Amino acid sequence: MGVVAWLKSLFILQLLIGFVFVVSGLILNFTQLCTCVLWPINKQLYRKINTRLAYSLWSQLVMLLEWWSGTECTLYTDQATVDKFGKEHVIIILNHNYEIDFLCGWTMCERYGILGSSKVLAKHELLKVPLIGWTWYFLEIVFCTRKWEEDRETVFSGLNRLRDYPEYMWFLLYCEGTRFTEKKHQISMQVAESKGLPKLKYHLLPRTKGFTTTLQCLKGTVKAVYDVTLNFKDKQNPTLLGIVNGKKYKADLSIRRFPVEEIPDDEKECAAWLHKLYQEKDALQEHYEKEGCFPGPTIKPKRRIWTLLNFLCWATLLLSPLINFAWDVVVSGSPLLIIGFMIFLIVASVAVRRLIGVTEVKKTGSSYGNMEAKKEN
């Protein structure tokens, strides 16, 4: 292990990074709360300010991926498609197989200048997650319980509210509804067989309602749908904890652009279009499994310095007083102060670990395939 790799593995450094993220996030959330007074006066100004506040938080996670772990992202697409990145409202359809798939999406958003205005159709449980859920709330993220009768009014009103969004946005949809696991895949393919739909090898059966509703509500605003299929070199199984430990991954993303005009307006035909799209995504993953890459030309967008500068600014602002305080505690010799500071460090480490746990496959709760849950639905 090299010196740099050893330093990245040190728990104290990881804890300091987590401290900067959490404290800066709380400051940014409070600032977002203060901007709420602008909503009835100037809604678009409120949105522009919150887009930049969100960027200051999300870019710290992107910094971990790009600068701390050095993870590489390669796009498999044509230049004509890349030339439109960050210049139009779009819907993103991404496979949900990995713990850091959202982070790979965010790094692409950052490199094309739309990280702060990125959107997602998120499960309602995430609204309760400190920093992440709170920031999303101020960004007008659409939350759903995945029970359509309960979600209908909330989803329609949330999506319609975004029609006049002033910044170009990428609206992310995980059409599979939950992260891929072997157990969920078996259940999903049983459903596919019962409905007479072609079976998928690398994906769950897509849930069409979210896609058709989003497209219907945002038609006239979004110009295209980007189909993004993600995989990693050498059969890597990346985790956020691995990123924090400085482990480098190599991500490949196949991106295809579909103009909205080419997608059927009729709900049933639109659903059929989505099922066909997932069959094509499955074929792309099969190609990757055999060849170790996606078909087509490759483009490697360069990482930008702004994520690193943003983190260094927050680190300078927040770590200086923390280090001074820690030194004062040590030289004071007071057992009470030292014990109190140690308790603070333990609580901080647990808090950071719990935030990381939100992304872990084994801890992402889902009622997918739960027959009791189906009965309740």
Side-chain angles (χ1 to χ4, degrees), residues 86-104:
K87 300 175 183 177
E88 58 182 357
H89 296 296
V90 299
I91 294 172
I92 305 286
I93 297 177
L94 177 63
N95 56 307
H96 203 7
N97 298 69
Y98 305 99
E99 289 184 11
I100 66 165
D101 45 30
F102 76 97
L103 202 48
C104 292

Side-chain angles (χ1 to χ4, degrees), residues 73-341:
C73 293
T74 301
L75 308 184
Y76 289 76
T77 190
D78 57 86
Q79 189 61 48
T81 297
V82 172
D83 289 342
K84 295 182 181 295
F85 288 177
K87 300 175 183 177
E88 58 182 357
H89 296 296
V90 299
I91 294 172
I92 305 286
I93 297 177
L94 177 63
N95 56 307
H96 203 7
N97 298 69
Y98 305 99
E99 289 184 11
I100 66 165
D101 45 30
F102 76 97
L103 202 48
C104 292
W106 274 359
T107 191
M108 289 300 104
C109 289
E110 200 289 321
R111 294 182 192 193
Y112 293 101
I114 53 173
L115 176 60
S117 58
S118 60
K119 308 294 180 189
V120 64
L121 185 61
K123 57 185 180 182
H124 193 268
E125 293 91 332
L126 291 175
L127 180 58
K128 303 173 185 176
V129 177
L131 306 183
I132 297 172
W134 298 347
T135 304
W136 274 351
Y137 175 81
F138 293 112
L139 283 177
E140 303 169 76
I141 293 299
V142 182
F143 293 94
C144 63
T145 63
R146 293 183 283 192
K147 297 177 183 178
W148 180 241
E149 291 306 316
E150 297 179 13
D151 291 332
R152 183 191 300 272
E153 185 176 344
T154 303
V155 171
F156 270 104
S157 62
L159 290 171
N160 285 325
R161 199 162 49 237
L162 295 175
R163 291 177 63 88
D164 64 343
Y165 207 78
E167 309 271 342
Y168 287 124
M169 62 178 176
W170 284 5
F171 194 103
L172 172 63
L173 289 177
Y174 288 117
C175 293
E176 294 163 271
T178 185
R179 190 173 277 125
F180 184 99
T181 66
E182 286 300 328
K183 181 179 178 180
K184 293 174 186 176
H185 181 252
Q186 292 174 8
I187 296 168
S188 180
M189 292 307 97
Q190 291 172 6
V191 174
E193 186 175 6
S194 68
K195 292 185 176 182
L197 295 169
K199 291 186 177 182
L200 303 172
K201 185 176 180 181
Y202 301 99
H203 301 85
L204 306 179
L205 196 66
R207 298 179 178 184
T208 61
K209 181 63 71 175
F211 174 70
T212 58
T213 301
T214 302
L215 190 61
Q216 174 188 345
C217 290
L218 295 182
K219 208 151 195 178
T221 299
V222 299
K223 300 301 181 185
V225 171
Y226 293 173
D227 170 48
V228 183
T229 306
L230 170 67
N231 212 321
F232 289 85
K233 293 290 188 188
D234 305 319
K235 300 184 184 297
Q236 293 173 311
N237 187 23
T239 64
L240 186 55
L241 194 57
I243 295 294
V244 171
N245 285 324
K247 186 173 181 179
K248 182 176 181 177
Y249 301 105
K250 295 182 179 181
D252 289 335
L253 300 95
S254 170
I255 304 177
R256 300 182 297 162
R257 182 182 183 274
F258 297 91
V260 169
E261 296 78 15
E262 296 180 3
I263 303 173
D265 291 323
D266 179 77
E267 184 175 353
K268 289 185 177 179
E269 293 180 3
C270 186
W273 181 90
L274 184 64
H275 281 297
K276 182 175 181 294
L277 182 78
Y278 266 79
Q279 293 165 34
E280 295 170 357
K281 288 172 77 70
D282 226 45
L284 283 171
Q285 292 286 38
E286 182 68 23
H287 185 280
Y288 195 95
E289 186 72 16
K290 293 179 179 178
E291 305 295 334
C293 64
F294 291 116
T298 61
I299 296 174
K300 287 191 175 183
K302 294 182 179 179
R303 61 185 180 182
R304 306 195 305 172
I305 193 68
W306 305 117
T307 58
L308 183 60
L309 291 178
N310 174 75
F311 176 79
L312 291 176
C313 286
W314 278 114
T316 302
L317 178 66
L318 298 175
L319 291 182
S320 296
L322 177 68
I323 293 172
N324 288 335
F325 175 73
W327 176 252
D328 290 341
V329 168
V330 172
V331 298
S332 71
S334 169
L336 188 61
L337 281 177
I338 294 174
I339 291 173
F341 188 67

